Amino acid sequence: MVNLYHKALNANDLLNKQRYFYDINAGINKSVDGVSIDSTGRLSVKSDVYNFGVVLLEMLTGMSAIDTKRPTGQHSLVAWVKPHLCNEKVKTIMDDKIEGQYSFEAALQAAQLSLKCLEYDPENRPSMIDVLDALEAIKAYSVR
């Protein structure tokens, strides 16, 4: 089996499929988040898991991962909202544009999945298969 690492997966790539597939095919991506690199300085299977956690967080909040126009302490979305991902505070970070399209329980599960993907230590991050299973469970829970 061949592992494919996208290196810098982000919400804009998913929304702009043409660029996303070009990046995969050309194998060019120059920006890599330091947390996405393993202790040897190489990309690992868990690199994309971390980046997916960032994308999921962007989707939940409607905000970009880095925004220097936000107030000090809020420039990095991950650092700013991580403390809000495991309890009732999730309501305070959710994108108003998707309000009413999900249950609080589904939002909390998605936020907790994002938190697991964003673990600093790659060994503590779930596999992408586990992420997919969690997303399927969230989807099934949302439909009930």
Side-chain angles (χ1 to χ4, degrees):
M1 179 196 301
V2 175
N3 290 322
L4 175 65
Y5 308 113
H6 185 262
K7 300 180 187 176
L9 181 67
N10 64 56
N12 288 332
D13 289 342
L14 295 177
L15 296 174
N16 185 349
K17 292 178 186 173
Q18 185 177 7
R19 178 175 176 263
Y20 177 71
F21 290 113
Y22 173 77
D23 284 352
I24 287 176
N25 292 332
I28 56 168
N29 247 321
K30 295 183 174 70
S31 64
V32 178
D33 189 315
V35 180
S36 300
I37 299 172
D38 71 14
S39 59
T40 64
R42 295 179 307 217
L43 289 170
S44 71
V45 174
K46 300 293 180 107
S47 300
D48 284 341
V49 174
Y50 181 90
N51 291 330
F52 177 79
V54 175
V55 170
L56 183 56
L57 200 54
E58 288 178 313
M59 291 170 56
L60 293 172
T61 63
M63 298 179 202
S64 60
I66 301 293
D67 186 350
T68 56
K69 294 178 183 168
R70 287 194 293 254
T72 303
Q74 297 179 8
H75 293 175
S76 167
L77 182 63
V78 172
W80 173 39
V81 301
K82 249 184 166 181
H84 299 75
L85 296 178
C86 58
N87 56 34
E88 291 283 326
K89 292 181 180 180
V90 165
K91 293 177 184 176
T92 66
I93 63 160
M94 296 299 293
D95 185 354
D96 293 338
K97 294 176 188 163
I98 60 172
E99 188 174 341
Q101 298 179 35
Y102 58 87
S103 67
F104 171 74
E105 292 80 12
L108 183 60
Q109 288 178 5
Q112 290 173 341
L113 175 60
S114 177
L115 188 60
K116 289 175 186 175
C117 293
L118 296 170
E119 280 287 334
Y120 185 80
D121 183 355
E123 294 300 315
N124 293 331
R125 296 177 198 153
S127 68
M128 284 307 290
I129 296 293
D130 292 338
V131 169
L132 179 60
D133 289 344
L135 289 172
E136 290 291 338
I138 292 167
K139 179 181 175 187
Y141 191 68
S142 297
V143 174
R144 291 182 201 170

